[in-house]
Amino acid sequence: MTITRRQFTLGALLAAGTAGLPVFAKAQGKKTIAVLFDGLYSPFWVAGLDVIKKDLERRGYQMVQAISDQDDNRQLEQVRAMLARKVDGIIIVQTDSNAVIPAIRAANQAKVPMVHFNRPPAKTEAFSVAVVADNRSITNATVEHMVKVAREKGGKYKAAIMIGDLGDPNAIGRRDGFFDVVDKNKDIIDVVARIPTEWNADVAFSGLTNAFQANPDINFLFTSSDFLFPQIVQVMKTRNKFHPIGHPDHVIFGGFDGDATAYQLLQDKYLDADGVQDLFKEADLAINAILDLQAGKTVDRVLLDPGFAIHQANLEQARDRMWGYVVHKQKNG
């Protein structure tokens, strides 16, 4: 059975194991890692690129980077150019989980290890390693806290979820994690809006505006990515829905990523909970995977970041592990 990008599951990738592990060339002379992102359209990717660069520099590696602007063909050419340059490894963020497979095959043929950062490929016989957040589990923990808040507050809730691009396995995991929880709590939660965002701020803004117009009593909102917070806050303010925790009209509010805006909203008591990806761990796992493959070691196809949920009850204790708090602290002293 062929797994399309919309049928991808983390379980399918885990089941692939380490079969067909190729032999990779060892680094010679100047050590260089190519870092190829499909875009820098959210704070997570901007911070991720910076964390990887600093980690590589600390280890004595040079980083060369390229951005494909979500163009799969362009990214394949970037991969080929880096292989011709004889880089020692490639860390990649692709747009499409199927379209990246020719790039994986090219890297295998050149005996250059490839690691997917935070976004896995579709199932394939070609070998690469994916460092991924446990999106479903992290979302479970985040939404469970939101439901806990709802039950403590009492009453019934009209819920909305802002869904990411379903061509991205991360978006699928977060969507499924949300429904894992709310489907068990239908006695108090009715999901009235499933808002597609396509990971596009304008689409998200329009979709949320329409959702509030159709369902003005929405009082439970989860976004699959924190980078949409500016648009969400703007819409909520326009609809007189943006109130702090404790206000009688407060909308129970949760997100996913762990960026600096999420920390600020938590600190200001507008955000109830946020799913945090451990960006520093993911960067470390990605680089270590390349070095281990070069050394001839066996590396699993999937390296998992368990992440965590941060909320009002654990903010002081957990914030130092939140990459957005580190960014916030750097900007604000």
Side-chain angles (χ1 to χ4, degrees):
M1 175 183 176
T2 300
I3 298 179
T4 69
R5 68 182 194 163
R6 295 184 184 274
Q7 294 172 310
F8 174 89
T9 64
L10 183 56
L13 189 57
L14 285 165
T18 57
L21 177 65
V23 176
F24 294 101
K26 293 185 178 181
Q28 302 291 331
K30 181 64 175 177
K31 300 179 292 184
T32 304
I33 302 294
V35 180
L36 310 179
F37 278 29
D38 77 329
L40 297 175
Y41 41 85
S42 82
F44 179 83
W45 300 120
V46 175
L49 190 67
D50 184 59
V51 169
I52 291 170
K53 181 178 181 180
K54 288 177 179 176
D55 198 339
L56 285 170
E57 289 175 348
R58 178 178 60 82
R59 298 170 188 251
Y61 275 75
Q62 177 184 357
M63 184 182 96
V64 290
Q65 69 181 67
I67 306 297
S68 64
D69 294 322
Q70 298 182 298
D71 184 328
D72 297 311
N73 292 325
R74 182 179 182 186
Q75 189 170 66
L76 178 58
E77 291 307 310
Q78 290 170 345
V79 169
R80 288 172 173 159
M82 294 301 175
L83 295 175
R85 186 172 173 167
K86 299 189 183 302
V87 297
D88 300 302
I90 295 174
I91 296 173
I92 189 169
V93 178
Q94 71 277 351
T95 300
D96 186 289
S97 58
N98 274 308
V100 75
I101 292 174
I104 303 171
R105 292 185 179 131
N108 285 180
Q109 186 174 8
K111 299 182 179 179
V112 173
M114 176 176 283
V115 174
H116 306 268
F117 184 72
N118 196 262
R119 187 177 289 165
K123 186 178 178 181
T124 172
E125 78 288 350
F127 182 84
S128 59
V129 172
V131 174
V132 296
D134 192 342
N135 290 280
R136 193 165 187 165
S137 177
I138 298 169
T139 304
N140 281 172
T142 305
V143 181
E144 281 173 357
H145 183 81
M146 294 171 66
V147 170
K148 179 175 180 286
V149 171
R151 288 199 176 277
E152 290 173 350
K153 189 175 179 181
K156 302 284 188 177
Y157 291 84
K158 300 291 186 180
I161 175 176
M162 302 184 73
I163 300 170
D165 182 348
L166 294 180
D168 176 0
N170 294 338
I172 296 172
R174 297 170 200 178
R175 177 202 63 187
D176 293 348
F178 174 85
F179 283 103
D180 286 344
V181 177
V182 297
D183 285 350
K184 295 176 183 176
N185 293 276
K186 290 183 178 180
D187 58 317
I188 65 166
I189 296 176
D190 178 22
V191 180
V192 297
R194 295 164 173 82
I195 304 163
T197 71
E198 302 172 16
W199 292 147
N200 180 292
D202 293 335
V203 172
F205 181 87
S206 176
L208 185 59
T209 298
N210 293 337
F212 271 121
Q213 287 174 347
N215 302 278
D217 53 351
I218 288 173
N219 55 359
F220 188 104
L221 175 63
F222 175 78
T223 174
S224 294
S225 179
D226 294 350
F227 94 93
L228 297 172
F229 279 149
Q231 289 71 35
I232 294 168
V233 170
Q234 185 179 350
V235 172
M236 290 174 73
K237 285 182 175 179
T238 300
R239 305 294 301 186
N240 194 28
K241 289 283 188 176
F242 192 63
H243 304 288
I245 294 167
H247 189 283
D249 294 326
H250 170 69
V251 173
I252 295 176
F253 189 15
F256 191 107
D257 273 332
D259 72 10
T261 303
Y263 174 74
Q264 187 68 60
L265 289 171
L266 283 163
Q267 185 182 53
D268 295 342
K269 299 190 182 302
Y270 284 95
L271 189 67
D272 291 271
D274 201 60
V276 180
Q277 304 185 77
D278 191 338
L279 181 55
F280 306 102
K281 181 180 182 66
E282 291 183 20
D284 187 60
L285 287 171
I287 296 168
N288 284 341
I290 288 177
L291 302 187
D292 286 345
L293 289 169
Q294 287 179 338
K297 297 179 182 178
T298 299
V299 178
D300 291 338
R301 279 182 175 260
V302 179
L303 303 176
L304 206 58
D305 161 26
F308 61 97
I310 193 166
H311 44 72
Q312 295 297 325
N314 70 356
L315 182 59
E316 294 297 319
Q317 296 80 15
R319 67 183 185 179
D320 286 332
R321 296 167 53 205
M322 182 183 190
W323 64 271
Y325 172 65
V326 175
V327 173
H328 177 275
K329 192 164 58 171
Q330 289 171 345
K331 288 183 177 179
N332 295 280

